[in-house]
Amino acid sequence: MVEIIEPSPRPQPRVLILDDEDYVRASLVRILAGEGYQTFSAPTGEEALKMLESQEVDVFLFDYRLPGMNGIDAIVEGRKISPDTSAVLITGVGTDQVIIEAFTKGRVDYYLTKPFTVHELKKVMSMALKSADVRRMERMFHDELQKKIREATAELLEKNRLLKARESELASVNDKLREEQDQLKSLNEKLETLSITDGLTGLYNFRHFSLRLAEEFYRSSRYNGRLSLLMIDLDDFKNVNDQYGHLMGDETLRRVAEALLVSSRHADLVARYGGEEFALILPEVGLEGAAFRAERLRQSISELEMEHDGAKAKITISIGVATCGSSEINSPQELVRAADLALYHAKEIGKNCVVLFRDGSLKALGKENIMTESQKDHIMQTLSRSALAAHSAGEVMDGFLRELKDVYGDAGEGLYLSVRRKDPKGNLVEAARLNQYRGKRDVEGIVSHVMETGWMKIISDAQDPFACFPLRSRDQEGASRVSGVLMMNRSPAYPPFLAELLDELSSVLMEVEERNILKGMAEKRKILDDTMRRMLAGRESLTPEEAFSLAGPVILDIFRAELAAVYSVKKGKAVPLVRFTGAEGLDSSTENAVEQGLAKAMAHANEGGLWNACVEEASSGSAYIIAQVDAGKAGQGFLLMAASKGNTLTPEDASLAESLALMVSVLLYNGKSVSTRRSRKEGKIENPND
């Protein structure tokens, strides 16, 4: 009997990094060390090969362009020293010739095209380690098998010698020999089966899958046949292990494997690709047929109920589908890569779905179509035009929702779209809407979650899908804040497209609102000027007190409206109270402090001085600003700005107060010196509330 020796537990994985750029090597070392790898690095192929003489590594991570020998040559030489090591080639060239040379001459397992993300690096390294493990297991198996064969051969030779020596017992010995030969044949068949079979699920393993995929690919290429590949991954499988235990996880993998086998034809090949990932080779099946098979398989898996020790669980799968015949697919590896891209996209857009790779583009089944670049550009251009032509933010949002509905076409029937934004008081109000929401989702709860976290919320439920995206804006200091949400009863296939559009929408809304504020302020100032001219025409004998009494209410109404707009949109602060004199509406401590400040200001003015706007802290912690209303001479009145309790005013607010006071001075006195209209009481200001 041949004994199968299981490999010892893997020690810390080791990787040899070869790149002639110091910062690239340092970055790769830092990233991989953080993932638990033991790293070795070299700037040239010669130094890397020298290191291999004393260090065993699991993965080569070699750059293609190098001084001296290139990365492929270095891999070829390195494999002579360490044949079991997996190889990953990093290239910024990416030509067909380089790729062909990498997989033929260098027998590269995987390659990364610059620029690549940390996520891609981690994923490729994980797969490379699996390849190294497979080689190590194959070598151990081969060595053990050879050993057993040698032992069996030696035993057979000994038995043959005995047979010759015992001719009298030839008949019985021959019978025994045939029996043992049958046993050996059966054992070899079992060993062959074990070498290509996954022990847990009974499906073919990665090694056999790779061989069969290559055979089917070249057969279909030679005879102009069809070949499709399904890459299948269990959604959130880690949660099953964490919540129910690994025994339930194993049972789930077995049940899924059974479902895959039941749904397959005799000509199909089902394999466990690794971990919770499976692969299904479909000879003589085109893309449409593969899509149908994948969707039917997805639905059947979603209906399974796993059970172990009384615990029950359900699982869903994501599937990527690719078919030979595309210009982007010219090798078995590219077919796997295309199906992997589709699978990864299925994960990105909410899982539990099928995504097709067709001529370089991705299409999701069971979800809305991906928004194309041209559609996105069209909406961007429409928003840019709205920034110049729209009279209100409402027009911009209504137009945006109509454009978004057009993207969905016929799929937009029953489409619900709604924009909620914060009003000046901070309350969320519906600013624009298309159709009524007729689902059963907790809309208010979803909106609150998105407003608090700033993260989009997408629910991929075929019966009642829902998505909520944050609308962002920036305050005066440039900090980003969530100012509203977009809601829809759809599960968008590519959320980043929509998020980018919403950023542009937020920018346009701010631009339109700021333009309207500036326009409104200009109109109010014109109204103020016209009002003052009408009221003061022919009234040259007006005293300052009479002018304040007559024009004050009009001026205050306009200033309050302007300040409300400026402070709510520009600064997001509480609107200050504005008075000429007196302090009505303030709390008692602030009112006392204001009266003292006014008395101080009047005393200074009566002595012939000018009182500059300043910030005075009241005993309650509130703040107020007193600015002299004057045409350049001794004061005839004061403008008071006071913050509500708990808030403070800044030097910037003081500057605004000075500007307002100067405007009042010019408008009240028509630009003439105050000294020509001194008070009837010899210019002395006795009552600050007059």
Side-chain angles (χ1 to χ4, degrees), residues 184-383:
L184 182 60
K185 181 181 178 181
S186 175
L187 180 58
N188 286 333
E189 290 175 351
K190 291 180 180 178
L191 290 174
E192 178 63 23
T193 301
L194 288 174
S195 70
I196 62 175
T197 304
D198 173 62
L200 176 64
T201 62
L203 301 178
Y204 289 114
N205 59 19
F206 174 80
R207 172 175 172 269
H208 188 66
F209 161 79
S210 300
L211 294 174
R212 283 291 305 276
L213 180 64
E215 293 173 0
E216 293 293 342
F217 183 88
Y218 293 118
R219 185 187 63 80
S220 66
S221 299
R222 182 176 181 179
Y223 297 106
N224 198 27
R226 297 177 297 173
L227 177 65
S228 294
L229 174 65
L230 274 57
M231 295 299 292
I232 305 161
D233 189 75
L234 275 61
D235 298 328
D236 302 317
F237 180 68
K238 183 178 182 299
N239 294 341
V240 175
N241 283 329
D242 292 345
Q243 186 173 355
Y244 302 103
H246 287 81
L247 292 178
M248 174 66 90
D250 292 344
E251 177 63 19
T252 299
L253 292 173
R254 282 190 289 266
R255 291 288 303 281
V256 171
E258 290 173 4
L260 292 173
L261 286 173
V262 168
S263 66
S264 300
R265 306 169 303 168
H266 179 73
D268 300 338
L269 183 135
V270 186
R272 185 181 180 190
Y273 195 80
E276 63 268 24
E277 207 168 344
F278 298 85
L280 180 56
I281 301 174
L282 303 176
E284 295 303 327
V285 176
L287 187 61
E288 299 304 324
F292 175 78
R293 291 275 302 275
E295 179 60 22
R296 188 174 63 180
L297 181 60
R298 183 196 66 80
Q299 293 177 1
S300 66
I301 296 297
S302 67
E303 295 169 358
L304 291 178
E305 186 172 73
M306 320 302 169
E307 185 172 358
H308 182 77
D309 285 345
K312 295 182 179 181
K314 298 182 76 67
I315 196 76
T316 62
I317 58 174
S318 299
I319 306 178
V321 182
T323 301
C324 294
S326 172
S327 59
E328 290 85 0
I329 300 176
N330 298 299
S331 69
Q333 292 79 11
E334 290 178 356
L335 180 61
V336 172
R337 179 177 177 273
D340 259 340
L341 284 174
L343 174 60
Y344 182 73
H345 188 67
K347 292 291 190 180
E348 276 190 325
I349 63 176
K351 307 174 184 177
N352 191 23
C353 65
V354 176
V355 173
L356 311 182
F357 181 94
R358 188 199 301 268
D359 296 327
S361 64
L362 301 171
K363 178 182 179 182
L365 302 181
K367 292 178 178 283
E368 303 306 328
N369 293 332
I370 298 172
M371 185 185 298
T372 64
E373 287 283 356
S374 60
Q375 289 172 324
K376 186 188 72 172
D377 291 342
H378 172 72
I379 298 181
M380 285 286 196
Q381 294 169 5
T382 302
L383 286 174

Side-chain angles (χ1 to χ4, degrees), residues 570-690:
K570 287 286 188 181
K571 303 180 182 179
K573 295 168 54 177
V575 180
L577 302 173
V578 182
R579 300 286 186 271
F580 278 108
T581 55
E584 303 91 290
L586 301 179
D587 58 273
S588 58
S589 58
T590 304
E591 183 175 0
N592 293 334
V594 168
E595 289 179 357
Q596 295 175 12
L598 284 172
K600 182 179 178 181
M602 287 185 297
H604 190 74
N606 286 330
E607 293 173 0
L610 293 176
W611 180 268
N612 293 325
C614 63
V615 178
E616 293 283 351
E617 293 294 335
S619 60
S620 64
S622 298
Y624 61 90
I625 296 172
I626 299 173
Q628 183 170 292
V629 177
D630 186 65
K633 298 295 181 180
Q636 294 296 311
F638 300 92
L639 182 144
L640 165 68
M641 292 174 62
S644 58
K645 189 172 182 180
N647 292 309
T648 58
L649 300 175
T650 66
E652 183 181 343
D653 301 317
S655 176
L656 176 61
E658 285 183 317
S659 299
L660 295 177
L662 178 60
M663 181 183 295
V664 173
S665 299
V666 173
L667 293 175
L668 282 179
Y669 304 120
N670 202 21
K672 297 182 180 180
S673 173
V674 183
S675 61
T676 61
R677 302 184 184 84
R678 298 291 288 178
S679 166
R680 291 179 184 150
K681 298 182 181 180
E682 297 181 356
K684 300 295 184 180
I685 302 175
E686 297 177 349
N687 187 352
N689 293 314
D690 285 343

